[in-house]
């Protein structure tokens, strides 16, 4: 046996015989891109002087990449199955085109490598046109194939051959989706031609192809055949899919967006209406708004804010059932859509879990942050027929939840829109009232045991509303607290009280005037400074003023309340514990905090006879701790009588006088 390195001219013995054949025959070494052996007829076609000269030619020098790929593909086909091909080739010996009809198959070289054995036949009278079209077919990236009516492959161009997973593959096997293939076949049968974009199994995995099929005849056999051409449209299809995804998803969190939610709601609504279940199915639109998210953005930056939103999205997903829909509405607003027989209870069940998940600390730039959310919900079909209305109603409920102190769940109720409109109007009016100083103090006398004896007064704020007249603090103080405006009212009140007291003091009236502090004011870091400034400005003696503080302001782990109370005392102010008995009534507070006065709440003052023991105990406690008890809300002579028996010496209540305008209070003093 000769090795492949043997003089090319000799050729292996079986090949030598082919020198007798009149048609050109040659062996092509695919790996080395060289002719390995050729018979005399082939030498003539190649216009070679000798076999040695032909074998010395580097055929790879100006080989196009398409041809190179095709050759590799043939080699693989030869190796896998004993493949044979017929193709029309154009060779370019010395640059001049020669067309041959070539039959070729695999040929194993002595060293075991796979080469190809080719036999050419003259094409004869092929027209330049047909030569060009053959060239085009061989070089186009479009996959073109001919199939028998039963789907058996008859012929494929190189691109089609490179694309199939197996040369023997039937047409139907090519398509991922059986339905799509059926559609193609049906339309081909009825129309004679069809173009569809389909998912196709290829040697390179699953791809999207635009497939055109046409019924026709096989030009070689004259039999009916299908001509199928395919182009790869995967990148197009992917960008289309991405565009579709983007159109109904939020890029930051990957959650569905508003338009997706809208469509999902329509589906849920149909389900609810079609359901005959008992109890009836309901759907809910639940809006979730993060509390004070703006602070996060302001203090940590937008990147941190975004990172937090991503974590929130994840936690919301965990809080709901698998079929519930969580969407992001932009900003810090999220939405949950759910469907259940008693959807209200379902939401009430989910809410604690959601609160708990959201409350777990978040890591922002290395430091942990805390978060809460206010949730507003509306129910289909009770609170609205369409998505927009339900959203508006959920929004109103959420707004109400925020006004009520955040971190809450609120459901829409009929009439809520009215309530909220009224609330918004009240807020606007209060802003104006603060700016226009429409607040006025009334004074309720604090009296002694002797008739007509006035020891002091409690300053109680009233709003002189331009249309409504006097408005009581129960209506506006909680609203101002929620608006964060209580500090402003507190300053005005203290200013009015100090001014008034300074005037009375100058007029020679020795009175103790007490002023109420709200929780927000008490916790305000500027409180001491504000009070100090006002005292200095009004020249009011601090000892003539008393501050009323409720127990709830004293609760806490730290020493802040105690420090604040001590600082207030250091300013020279007296301190009263207000509403004693209504809250925690923690005796430790009485001992620990430096109060002068204890105001016994009217509940204990107006208590029926059999409950008066507790009131007695409170008075006894005052004696032990050196506190002056003041009975509030005294309305009857008998109430005053038994309080006197207990040893109480100071009283407030309608029995003596209601809160009075300054002029009336002064008139009373003069009497
Ligand atoms: P409070 O500090 O417990 O004030 C006593 C409330 O009881 C006053 O109501 C007063 O009008 C009412 N009252 C007085 N005598 C009687 C009585 O014999 N029977 C009954 N049933 N009630 C009586 P008002 O003025 O409506 O104030 C309500 C609350 O508003 C006050 O409760 C206080 O917590 C708050 N408040 C009032 N003015 C101010 C203020 O200037 N600043 C702050 N921070 N809070 C204030
Ligand atoms: Ca009070
Ligand atoms: Ca009180």
């Amino acid at each position: 046996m000769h090795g492949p390195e043997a003089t090319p001219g000799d050729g292996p013995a079986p090949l030598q015989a082919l020198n007798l054949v009149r048609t050109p025959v040659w062996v092509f070494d695919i790996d080395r891109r060289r002719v390995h052996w050729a018979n005399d007829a082939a030498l003539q076609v190649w216009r070679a002087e000798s076999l040695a000269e032909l074998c010395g030619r580097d055929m790879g020098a100006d080989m196009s990449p398409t041809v190179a790929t095709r050759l590799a593909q043939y080699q693989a086909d030869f190796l896998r199955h004993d493949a044979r091909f017929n193709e029309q080739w154009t060779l370019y010996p010395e640059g001049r085109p020669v067309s041959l009809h070539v039959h070729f198959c695999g040929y194993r070289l002595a060293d075991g490598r796979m080469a190809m054995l080719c036999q050419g036949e003259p094409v004869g009278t092929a027209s330049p046109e047909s030569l060009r079209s053959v060239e085009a077919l061989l070089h186009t990236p479009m996959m073109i194939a001919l199939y028998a009516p039963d789907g058996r492959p008859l012929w494929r161009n190189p691109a089609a051959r490179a694309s199939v997973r197996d040369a023997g593959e039937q047409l139907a096997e090519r398509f991922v989706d059986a339905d799509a293939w059926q559609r193609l076949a049906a339309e081909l049968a009825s129309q004679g031609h069809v173009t569809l974009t389909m998912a196709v199994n290829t040697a390179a995995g699953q791809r999207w192809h635009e497939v055109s099929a046409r019924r026709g005849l096989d030009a070689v056999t004259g039999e009916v055949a299908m001509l199928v051409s395919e182009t790869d449209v995967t990148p197009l299809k992917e960008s289309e899919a991405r565009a579709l995804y983007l159109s109904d998803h939020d890029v930051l969190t990957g959650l569905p967006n508003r338009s997706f939610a809208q469509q999902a709601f329509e589906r849920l609504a149909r389900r609810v209406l079609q359901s005959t279940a008992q109890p009836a199915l309901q759907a809910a639109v639940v809006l979730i708004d993060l509390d004070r998210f703006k602070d996060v953005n302001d203090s940590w930056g937008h990147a941190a804010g975004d990172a937090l939103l991503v974590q929130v999205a994840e936690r919301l997903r965990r809080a709901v059932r698998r079929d519930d829909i969580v969407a992001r509405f932009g900003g810090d607003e999220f939405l949950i859509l759910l469907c259940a027989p008693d959807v209200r209870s379902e939401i009430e069940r989910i809410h604690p879990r959601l609160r708990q998940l959201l409350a777990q600390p978040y890591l922002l730039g290395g430091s942990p942050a805390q978060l809460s959310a206010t949730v507003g919900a509306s129910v289909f079909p009770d609170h609205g027929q369409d998505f927009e209305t339900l959203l508006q109603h959920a929004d109103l409920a959420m707004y109400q939840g925020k006004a009520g102190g955040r971190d809450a769940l609120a459901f829409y109720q009929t009439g809520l829109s009215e309530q909220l409109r009224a609330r918004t109007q009240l807020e606007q009016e209060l802003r104006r009232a603060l700016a226009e100083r429409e607040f006025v103090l009334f004074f309720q006398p604090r009296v002694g045991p002797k008739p007509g004896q006035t020891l002091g007064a409690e300053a109680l704020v009233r709003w002189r509303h331009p249309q409504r007249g006097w408005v009581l603090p129960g209506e506006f103080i909680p609203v101002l607290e929620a608006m964060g405006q209580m500090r402003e009212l507190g300053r005005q009140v203290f200013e009015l009280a100090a001014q008034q007291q300074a005037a009375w003091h100058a007029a020679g009236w020795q009175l103790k005037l007490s002023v109420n502090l709200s929780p927000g004011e008490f916790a305000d870091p500027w409180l001491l400074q504000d009070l100090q400034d006002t005292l200095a400005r009004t020249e009011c003696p601090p000892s003539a003023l008393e501050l009323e503080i409720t127990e709830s302001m004293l609760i806490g782990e730290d020493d802040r309340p105690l420090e604040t109370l001590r600082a207030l005392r250091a300013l020279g102010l007296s301190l009263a514990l207000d509403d004693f008995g209504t809250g925690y009534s923690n005796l430790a507070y009485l001992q620990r905090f430096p109060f002068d006065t204890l105001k016994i709440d009217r509940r204990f003052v107006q208590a029926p006879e059999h409950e008066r023991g507790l009131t007695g105990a409170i008075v006894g406690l005052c004696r032990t701790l050196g506190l002056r008890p003041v009975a509030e809300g005294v309305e009857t002579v008998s109430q005053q009588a038994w309080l006197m028996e207990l040893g109480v010496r100071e009283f407030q209540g309608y029995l003596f006088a209601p809160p009075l305008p300054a002029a009336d209070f002064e008139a009373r003093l003069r009497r």
Side-chain angles (χ1 to χ4, degrees):
M1 267 299 261
H2 296 272
E5 292 81 19
T7 328
D10 297 345
L15 290 179
Q16 288 296 354
L18 293 170
N19 268 327
L20 302 173
V21 177
R22 297 245 302 279
T23 52
V25 176
W26 67 97
V27 173
F28 187 74
D29 183 335
I30 299 170
D31 301 320
R32 299 196 171 136
R33 307 260 194 273
R34 275 168 207 273
V35 172
H36 175 79
W37 180 85
N39 70 358
D40 295 339
L43 289 183
Q44 268 178 35
V45 170
W46 287 105
R47 295 172 193 262
E49 286 162 18
S50 65
L51 182 56
E53 187 265 318
L54 180 61
C55 294
R57 289 187 197 174
D58 178 8
M59 302 285 193
D62 41 30
M63 183 180 283
S64 75
T66 338
V67 172
T69 326
R70 268 166 62 194
L71 285 171
Q73 181 67 40
Y74 293 143
Q75 193 179 36
D77 286 347
F78 299 147
L79 282 168
R80 231 174 325 163
H81 36 255
D82 186 23
R84 292 167 176 276
F85 300 100
N86 292 302
E87 271 178 14
Q88 185 166 319
W89 288 1
T90 307
L91 309 175
Y92 295 90
E94 293 176 346
R96 277 199 249 140
V98 176
S99 284
L100 289 176
H101 210 98
V102 185
H103 311 278
F104 54 100
C105 61
Y107 180 83
R108 218 174 263 282
L109 297 174
D111 60 358
R113 290 178 308 111
M114 187 57 81
M116 70 204 274
L117 176 65
C118 312
Q119 179 183 14
E121 268 168 24
V123 178
T125 56
S127 68
E129 264 328 290
S130 76
L131 291 183
R132 284 177 185 145
S133 51
V134 165
E135 277 293 290
L137 263 184
L138 294 183
H139 291 274
T140 177
M142 185 184 269
M143 295 148 270
I144 299 167
L146 206 60
Y147 290 91
D150 61 3
R152 202 164 23 89
L154 297 172
W155 174 85
R156 290 188 179 101
N157 80 338
R161 206 174 304 132
S163 155
V164 291
R165 292 170 302 174
D166 182 283
E169 187 178 273
Q170 301 262 322
L171 182 56
E173 291 172 286
R174 197 152 168 71
F175 304 109
V176 174
D177 183 359
D179 284 355
W181 156 240
Q182 236 107 68
R183 257 192 309 141
L184 184 115
E187 212 166 310
L188 187 63
S190 67
Q191 307 286 317
H193 59 89
V194 56
T195 299
L196 282 178
T197 301
M198 307 164 75
V200 174
N201 297 311
T202 75
Q206 194 173 312
R207 308 284 294 173
W208 284 98
H209 282 183
E210 186 182 84
V211 181
S212 286
R214 169 171 296 280
R215 241 187 355 229
L217 297 177
D218 180 352
V220 175
T221 61
E223 307 273 323
V224 176
M226 284 179 280
L227 182 65
V228 178
S229 61
E230 295 168 48
T231 1
D232 192 329
V233 292
T234 311
L236 199 74
K237 191 77 185 169
E238 276 167 358
S239 62
E240 222 178 77
R242 174 106 190 115
L244 199 71
Y245 176 85
L246 288 179
S247 76
D248 56 18
H249 282 80
D250 165 47
V251 195
L252 177 65
T253 61
L255 288 179
N257 64 9
R258 192 192 182 103
S259 98
F260 184 101
Q262 158 110 46
Q263 288 162 27
F265 171 79
E266 319 273 298
R267 282 195 297 274
L268 280 189
R270 270 199 298 279
R271 224 179 100 195
V272 165
L273 294 176
Q274 284 163 6
S275 160
T276 53
Q278 279 305 332
L281 210 55
Q282 296 175 311
V285 172
V286 183
L287 267 184
I288 298 150
D289 190 276
L290 305 184
D291 298 331
R292 303 203 169 83
F293 179 69
K294 201 178 152 296
D295 295 355
V296 173
N297 265 345
D298 290 350
S299 44
W300 302 93
H302 281 271
D306 282 359
L308 187 109
L309 289 171
V310 171
Q311 294 180 57
V312 166
E314 217 177 86
R315 295 181 190 192
L316 289 179
R317 275 253 54 114
R318 271 195 281 146
V320 301
R321 302 172 302 178
R322 248 196 42 215
D323 291 346
D324 299 337
I325 286 158
V326 180
R328 179 173 174 228
F329 264 38
D332 57 340
E333 239 180 44
F334 293 86
L335 175 106
I336 297 174
L337 284 178
L338 62 164
C339 198
D342 178 5
V343 88
R344 237 184 125 97
S345 311
E346 184 58 32
I347 295 168
E348 276 159 354
R349 202 179 61 78
I350 291 175
H351 184 240
R353 187 173 146 71
L354 190 136
R355 274 191 71 198
Q356 190 209 336
L357 280 170
L358 287 181
Q360 282 161 19
Y362 300 78
L363 272 185
L364 288 186
S367 18
Q370 206 115 41
L371 205 69
S372 67
T374 304
V375 181
S378 64
V379 173
F380 172 84
D382 303 2
H383 299 150
Q385 295 304 308
D386 59 280
F387 190 54
E388 280 310 311
T389 310
L390 287 160
L391 262 184
Q392 266 173 25
H393 288 169
D395 198 52
L396 284 177
M398 190 187 74
Y399 185 82
Q400 201 203 24
K402 291 247 177 205
R406 304 163 210 266
D407 193 16
L409 163 66
F411 282 93
Y412 176 77
Q413 311 142 2
T414 17
L416 190 58
S417 338
E418 297 312 312
Q419 279 173 39
L420 283 165
R421 201 168 303 137
R423 164 100 184 193
T424 314
Q425 195 191 335
L426 181 61
E427 286 180 3
Q428 272 170 10
E429 289 182 340
L430 280 171
R431 273 181 232 280
R432 188 209 57 220
L434 284 172
E436 306 281 323
R437 297 190 169 257
E438 289 173 5
F439 296 99
V440 175
L441 290 185
F442 274 38
F443 302 92
Q444 181 171 42
R446 191 195 282 186
V447 305
K450 286 181 224 151
Q453 183 191 20
T454 303
L455 304 171
E458 177 174 0
L460 293 160
V461 70
R462 303 287 180 264
W463 176 14
R464 197 205 312 259
H465 191 283
Q467 284 89 40
R468 293 166 57 196
W470 294 115
V471 180
L472 290 175
E475 189 176 333
F476 58 81
I477 286 185
V479 182
L480 285 171
E481 286 269 18
M483 288 166 70
Q485 292 292 326
M486 204 43 214
R487 179 186 171 200
E488 182 51 35
L489 178 67
R491 279 168 160 181
Q492 293 190 13
V493 162
F494 194 72
E495 171 107 28
L496 289 170
Q499 268 170 3
Q500 185 60 75
Q501 183 61 322
W504 286 336
H505 197 73
W509 280 313
Q510 302 285 324
L511 299 163
K512 179 75 93 182
L513 182 61
S514 58
V515 181
N516 292 281
L517 279 188
S518 68
E521 292 173 81
F522 185 70
D524 187 341
W526 294 100
L527 175 71
L528 286 166
Q529 191 64 52
D530 285 353
L531 295 182
Q532 215 166 358
D533 292 351
T534 310
L535 287 171
R537 207 169 41 242
T538 55
E539 295 179 23
C540 171
S543 61
L545 289 174
E546 187 171 65
L547 295 178
E548 298 196 0
I549 285 149
T550 57
E551 275 178 288
S552 62
M553 306 183 199
L554 308 176
I555 317 162
E557 302 294 290
D558 59 4
D559 291 334
R560 281 266 312 271
L562 183 61
E563 282 162 20
T564 308
L565 290 182
R566 285 191 178 142
L568 291 173
R569 282 207 91 169
L571 286 182
L573 299 162
S574 328
L575 301 174
L577 185 59
D578 199 1
D579 300 347
F580 187 76
T582 58
Y584 307 83
S585 306
N586 187 332
L587 298 181
Y589 286 161
L590 289 178
Q591 224 168 1
R592 191 163 166 231
F593 295 109
F595 287 107
D596 307 282
T597 307
L598 187 143
K599 300 195 81 172
I600 306 170
D601 190 71
R602 67 164 182 267
R603 236 180 55 203
F604 295 94
V605 168
Q606 299 169 353
E609 213 150 338
H610 63 277
E611 283 176 17
R612 286 178 182 174
L614 205 54
T615 318
I618 295 174
V619 177
L621 201 66
C622 285
R623 201 170 296 128
T624 315
L625 295 170
L627 290 165
R628 197 169 349 110
V630 178
E632 284 192 311
V634 181
E635 292 184 354
T636 67
V637 179
S638 77
Q639 281 166 4
Q640 191 192 14
W642 73 265
L643 286 161
M644 292 270 278
E645 271 170 40
L646 285 178
V648 179
R649 291 290 171 269
E650 299 190 24
F651 309 93
Q652 254 181 262
Y654 295 162
L655 175 63
F656 317 102
L660 302 167
D664 296 358
F665 181 74
E666 284 172 18
R668 187 190 142 89
L669 285 179
R670 281 193 203 94
R671 247 191 278 134

